[in-house]
Amino acid sequence: MHFVSIWYRLQDVGAKTEADPRKEKESSCTFCEIVHGNLRVSKIDESERIIVFSSLGGYPLIAPKKHVDNVFDEKLDKEIVHELAEMEVRVARAVRSAFKVDAVSIISANGKEAGQQVNHYHVHIMPRTANDISLLEYKRRGY
């Protein structure tokens, strides 16, 4: 249900033409729309700089409220990094308890080639079990 709502909202946002490219980027960002309350999600937690909400897969996503493209973006300042790290630990512990698992994967893809699909820095906190499929399979590239 959320996916359909997000998709339709993105179609509306994509039709806008803004003069300021910074505003256009933020207004076309799904996570910024969530932060501003324009898209409904299951919010799990938030702080002054960070929001935590349920992903379409049912596990938590953690993102800065301020638009930051990825880990390489200069707008990712030390205050945000500090709050992100604290929130990762809190959420990972809660996921382990709530999902009754012994492990979690904390994943952040940074850049298209790394698999980043939403151009707003975020962290996946995924519950893991012994026999699930690993997302951490890499092809050896010789570097």
Side-chain angles (χ1 to χ4, degrees):
M1 177 91 176
H2 292 298
F3 176 76
V4 173
S5 299
I6 291 169
W7 186 84
Y8 280 113
R9 179 67 182 147
L10 286 175
Q11 300 311 304
D12 292 342
V13 170
K16 293 180 182 178
T17 56
E18 303 249 349
D20 183 354
R22 212 176 49 216
K23 284 281 189 194
E24 184 176 322
K25 182 182 248 185
E26 190 169 310
S27 70
S28 66
C29 173
T30 304
F31 288 2
C32 288
E33 291 291 305
I34 290 168
V35 168
H36 296 306
N38 298 331
L39 290 176
R40 290 178 38 199
V41 295
S42 297
K43 193 185 307 182
I44 297 169
D45 198 1
E46 67 181 316
S47 66
E48 181 182 340
R49 296 178 180 91
I50 307 300
I51 186 167
V52 183
F53 56 94
S54 184
S55 70
L56 296 175
Y59 57 83
L61 291 177
I62 304 173
K65 290 181 176 179
K66 175 180 178 180
H67 184 86
V68 177
D69 288 339
N70 54 44
V71 74
F72 308 114
D73 191 329
E74 296 295 324
K75 293 183 302 246
L76 185 60
D77 58 41
K78 65 182 177 181
E79 288 81 14
I80 294 173
V81 170
H82 181 79
E83 252 183 76
L84 276 166
E86 286 182 341
M87 190 66 81
E88 283 177 21
V89 171
R90 286 181 48 215
V91 172
R93 289 175 179 168
V95 165
R96 183 177 66 175
S97 175
F99 285 86
K100 297 181 181 9
V101 296
D102 291 324
V104 299
S105 289
I106 300 175
I107 300 171
S108 176
N110 292 276
K112 182 179 177 180
E113 292 80 4
Q116 185 177 8
Q117 295 178 338
V118 177
N119 198 33
H120 186 124
Y121 182 74
H122 60 285
V123 179
H124 302 252
I125 308 290
M126 303 176 72
R128 305 312 297 256
T129 60
N131 297 318
D132 66 359
I133 298 170
S134 175
L135 293 179
L136 300 176
E137 295 178 17
Y138 297 102
K139 294 180 182 175
R140 184 171 278 269
R141 296 190 183 199
Y143 38 68

